[in-house]
Amino acid sequence: MKKIFVTIIGCMFLSTFYNCAKNGDISKYIAAGETQYAAKPENLVALSGDNRIMLRWNILSDPNIVKARVYWRNKSDSVDVSISRKPGIDTIETVIPLAEGVYSFDVVHFHDNGVKSLSSNVSGRSYGDFYKSTLFNRIITNVAFTPSNQGVAITWGPSPNTSIGTQLYYITTAATGNLPRYPIALPTVSSSSYTRVENNINMEYRTMYKPDTAAIDTFYAPVQLIPIKY
């Protein structure tokens, strides 16, 4: 029964093909040729930034790629990225200025004759004033000044989430040239000490953040004074 069924289907196809050929309509059933595509972007990632997003991807093959087009906002916005291929694998990076928010991107490669690739898609976030307004400095629980070495010892409270450290600013003593210093107290330390701090200067600090580990920019809480009793 299966053999008879297959034979009937085959006859029906041949009959249809013959009738179409007879009427000059073979083009509906025979493709004009194999569709060509450029190699698509591989390993596409979106890296967060300060009112910007960096896109990074690889070209694993296809020496004929001459540009990429990046679309966002449902393809209502786009930018072209020129590409000069080198032997082997290329890494392409482009930075797009964008207001704070979440975006979805489609990236397509092109040959110089207009042949294009299938698209690769990724989502990313840009951070701005609202995110910055949520940042606060690491708490200082104690500050001690030692006159003998012009030293300042600071005891820190817990490090905030996503903080990558706390940057300080002070001036060294006149004997060491009144030089500016910008040391960083890492999130893992509970205390830090600094010597040869000039008397009666404003020692300041600000806590540094990255919203995610791959972010291309560092964000800062507002500058605060460190309360030193000289």
Side-chain angles (χ1 to χ4, degrees), residues 39-117:
K40 67 182 293 188
E42 301 287 351
N43 307 318
L44 175 63
V45 295
L47 309 177
S48 301
D50 186 354
N51 287 294
R52 60 183 188 162
I53 295 175
M54 174 187 280
L55 298 182
R56 177 187 295 151
W57 68 91
N58 297 128
I59 304 176
L60 304 182
S61 61
D62 195 343
N64 299 315
I65 294 170
V66 296
K67 74 174 181 180
R69 182 165 295 155
V70 180
Y71 299 95
W72 66 96
R73 290 197 182 98
N74 294 319
K75 296 190 175 182
S76 62
D77 286 324
S78 66
V79 65
D80 284 353
V81 181
S82 296
I83 295 174
S84 297
R85 286 287 280 124
K86 300 184 240 358
I89 297 174
D90 274 338
T91 298
I92 310 299
E93 293 180 341
T94 187
V95 176
I96 304 173
L98 291 165
E100 189 166 17
V102 178
Y103 299 84
S104 180
F105 301 94
D106 290 291
V107 182
V108 179
H109 283 153
F110 287 87
H111 291 171
D112 59 3
N113 62 358
V115 170
K116 64 181 182 179
S117 72

Side-chain angles (χ1 to χ4, degrees), residues 19-194:
N19 288 332
C20 290
K22 189 175 180 181
N23 295 326
D25 197 21
I26 300 177
S27 60
K28 292 183 179 180
Y29 297 91
I30 300 179
E34 184 178 354
T35 302
Q36 293 185 343
Y37 291 100
K40 67 182 293 188
E42 301 287 351
N43 307 318
L44 175 63
V45 295
L47 309 177
S48 301
D50 186 354
N51 287 294
R52 60 183 188 162
I53 295 175
M54 174 187 280
L55 298 182
R56 177 187 295 151
W57 68 91
N58 297 128
I59 304 176
L60 304 182
S61 61
D62 195 343
N64 299 315
I65 294 170
V66 296
K67 74 174 181 180
R69 182 165 295 155
V70 180
Y71 299 95
W72 66 96
R73 290 197 182 98
N74 294 319
K75 296 190 175 182
S76 62
D77 286 324
S78 66
V79 65
D80 284 353
V81 181
S82 296
I83 295 174
S84 297
R85 286 287 280 124
K86 300 184 240 358
I89 297 174
D90 274 338
T91 298
I92 310 299
E93 293 180 341
T94 187
V95 176
I96 304 173
L98 291 165
E100 189 166 17
V102 178
Y103 299 84
S104 180
F105 301 94
D106 290 291
V107 182
V108 179
H109 283 153
F110 287 87
H111 291 171
D112 59 3
N113 62 358
V115 170
K116 64 181 182 179
S117 72
L118 299 176
S119 67
S120 293
N121 178 267
V122 71
S123 293
R125 178 186 291 272
S126 171
Y127 292 88
D129 289 342
F130 176 78
Y131 172 71
K132 294 173 188 176
S133 72
T134 68
L135 304 180
F136 58 93
N137 285 309
R138 189 175 182 181
I139 294 172
I140 293 176
T141 59
N142 189 62
V143 180
F145 177 69
T146 308
S148 60
N149 65 354
Q150 296 288 103
V152 175
I154 299 173
T155 304
W156 301 99
S159 182
N161 291 335
T162 73
S163 165
I164 61 171
T166 297
Q167 183 184 60
L168 295 91
Y169 164 79
Y170 66 95
I171 299 291
T172 64
T173 60
T176 56
N178 287 136
L179 299 175
R181 294 289 187 235
Y182 302 91
I184 293 175
L186 296 177
T188 52
V189 305
S190 58
S191 63
S192 54
S193 299
Y194 311 94

